Amino acid sequence: MPSIDVCFSPALLPLYDLTGKIAVAVDVLRATSSMVTALANGVTHIAPVSELEACLAYRNQGYLVAAERDGIKADGFDLGNSPFHYLDDDYTGRLLAITTTNGTQAIRQSRTADEVLIGAFLNVGAVAEYVRRAGKDVVVVCAGWKGLFNLEDTLFAGALAERLQGDFALNNDATLAAFHLYQAAKPDMLGFLSKSSHVQRLERLHILKDTEFCLQEDTYTVVPVLKGDFLVPTE
Amino acid sequence: MPSIDVCFSPALLPLYDLTGKIAVAVDVLRATSSMVTALANGVTHIAPVSELEACLAYRNQGYLVAAERDGIKADGFDLGNSPFHYLDDDYTGRLLAITTTNGTQAIRQSRTADEVLIGAFLNVGAVAEYVRRAGKDVVVVCAGWKGLFNLEDTLFAGALAERLQGDFALNNDATLAAFHLYQAAKPDMLGFLSKSSHVQRLERLHILKDTEFCLQEDTYTVVPVLKGDFLVPTE
């Protein structure tokens, strides 16, 4: 039986061997939720980029460029890190380069895995279905917040573990913790998260509607996968 | 209001600033439980040592020497890492040097804090009382298992957070997670932990009675504190 494990911070990733496994990179608030939304709404591929300048340089190649630092859109970019940015226009066939505080780092550091998928509550069912069919061990790589543990990415790991229960072993401590936390949070996710540091930060930025959107499950069926330097929908 | 925070692994400790704070090092199964038991039963001070050879060398100075590696007593040492070892003889006035897989590392890496205390379920109430009186910010430093998150140390952090609730801020994500997990586990701690990697490891080693002993709350009132290179009871 394959297993599901959870890495709570990119800083702990050197302790995990991703060889032969599927990594699911997650930054629920809001990088991976925005990426899933973008690909579900016509964007054909996404370049996840670590640095602002490298991201901006993609504009010369016809890309939309998106950047967030410390929760707000960076100066000079077309888009920030809100999933709503990808719903308010027609982006069919567009290419997107994006850099965010934590999310793009988690993706790039997961590259030793056989496959790197992008997870969010918005596509959790589709991710579960994909990895169930693949039958490989899975490691959820939480973006965290500047290296620290965060609740919302952990809850995603718990939601994925719940979907895989029965077909995947859930017996490591990190997965058990994520699973139990998700059980506790599920009846009122926003209430559960309302005391968390990141949701309080987003509330101060008046983007609570982003949080509500990002906590919806199974809105989209797209599963972004890293091919070379780009995220594209799985076929 | 002072705050309580939780560091889930010594590997994440570089992200925490312990200056001016109290660190509570915890390795529930079983290093810190054994240390608390030893000091509660007559041992006057403990040298926590990282390396086996350095630990053994303390014997020449009249110390009892204790060592555990991968869950079992290391060859050539007087004692292992079971709290029962410190209950089956009269150790009044004895000195102890101890090295364990994870626990002693967590202690030594916490030294930038104002004070380093040793926590276990066995003395959780006394630790809570001590830090409440001190009124400083607290960081629980979980030993984990070879750098990875573990459940039992996290549950201790949750138990301490529960005791400090009202007097300390619990609003960071790691503390909220520990608090919720402890609420879920409290009715049946052993049952909750029975799926965890470390308890399964201890079960394979036939030391389930150690786990049961280590999960008891408030058996002892001693609060070990690091003074120079040694752990001694607080006055």
Side-chain angles (χ1 to χ4, degrees), chain A residues 8-9 11-12 15-16 146-152 171-174 176-177 180-181 192 195-198 200, chain B residues 8-9 11-12 15-16 146-152 171 173-174 176-177 180-181 192 195-198 200:
Chain A
F8 286 135
S9 159
L12 295 176
L15 299 169
Y16 290 74
K146 299 187 177 180
L148 294 173
F149 171 92
N150 83 19
L151 268 177
E152 63 272 15
N171 61 347
N172 61 76
D173 284 25
L176 290 169
H180 285 294
L181 287 167
F192 190 90
K195 290 177 186 163
S196 88
S197 54
H198 199 167
Q200 288 181 343
Chain B
F8 286 134
S9 159
L12 295 175
L15 299 170
Y16 290 76
K146 299 187 177 180
L148 294 173
F149 172 91
N150 83 20
L151 268 177
E152 63 271 16
N171 62 348
D173 284 23
L176 290 169
H180 284 294
L181 287 168
F192 190 89
K195 289 179 190 163
S196 87
S197 55
H198 199 169
Q200 288 180 343

Side-chain angles (χ1 to χ4, degrees), chain A residues 88 111 115 138 147 229 235:
Chain A
D88 62 6
R111 300 180 75 132
E115 291 188 275
V138 177
D229 289 331
E235 278 137 31

Side-chain angles (χ1 to χ4, degrees), chain A residues 137-150:
Chain A
D137 290 344
V138 177
V139 179
V140 178
V141 180
C142 299
W145 181 259
K146 299 187 177 180
L148 294 173
F149 171 92
N150 83 19

Side-chain angles (χ1 to χ4, degrees), chain B residues 19-203:
Chain B
T19 314
K21 299 178 184 172
I22 295 179
V24 180
V26 56
D27 184 7
V28 164
L29 297 176
R30 297 163 289 164
T32 59
S33 297
S34 291
M35 290 169 180
V36 168
T37 304
L39 288 178
N41 288 284
V43 167
T44 55
H45 82 242
I46 298 173
V49 185
S50 295
E51 302 299 328
L52 285 172
E53 305 88 84
C55 190
L56 203 53
Y58 274 90
R59 184 181 273 156
N60 301 330
Q61 300 173 49
Y63 281 64
L64 290 163
V65 292
E68 168 265 354
R69 284 297 180 272
D70 293 321
I72 57 173
K73 181 166 91 74
D75 284 344
F77 284 80
D78 304 318
L79 301 158
N81 196 23
S82 168
F84 289 107
H85 293 170
Y86 303 93
L87 294 171
D88 62 7
D89 210 336
D90 180 10
Y91 294 122
T92 305
R94 295 297 303 267
L95 314 176
L96 173 69
I98 188 167
T99 179
T100 66
T101 308
N102 307 287
T104 51
Q105 271 75 339
I107 296 165
R108 300 187 82 83
Q109 289 177 37
S110 299
R111 300 179 74 131
T112 56
D114 263 19
E115 291 188 274
V116 180
L117 307 180
I118 299 300
F121 285 109
L122 295 169
N123 74 341
V124 61
V127 169
E129 191 48 38
Y130 184 93
V131 300
R132 185 181 283 111
R133 252 186 286 130
K136 293 180 187 172
D137 290 345
V138 177
V139 179
V140 179
V141 180
C142 299
W145 181 258
K146 299 187 177 180
L148 294 173
F149 172 91
N150 83 20
L151 268 177
E152 63 271 16
D153 296 339
T154 303
L155 293 179
F156 166 83
L160 184 62
E162 183 182 275
R163 305 286 181 116
L164 296 176
Q165 202 178 9
D167 299 320
F168 281 66
L170 271 60
N171 62 348
N172 60 77
D173 284 23
T175 304
L176 290 169
F179 180 82
H180 284 294
L181 287 168
Y182 179 65
Q183 302 310 313
K186 201 164 44 167
D188 176 16
M189 292 277 280
L190 195 59
F192 190 89
L193 286 172
S194 66
K195 289 179 190 163
S196 87
S197 55
H198 199 169
V199 169
Q200 288 180 343
R201 197 177 303 118
L202 293 180
E203 279 178 9

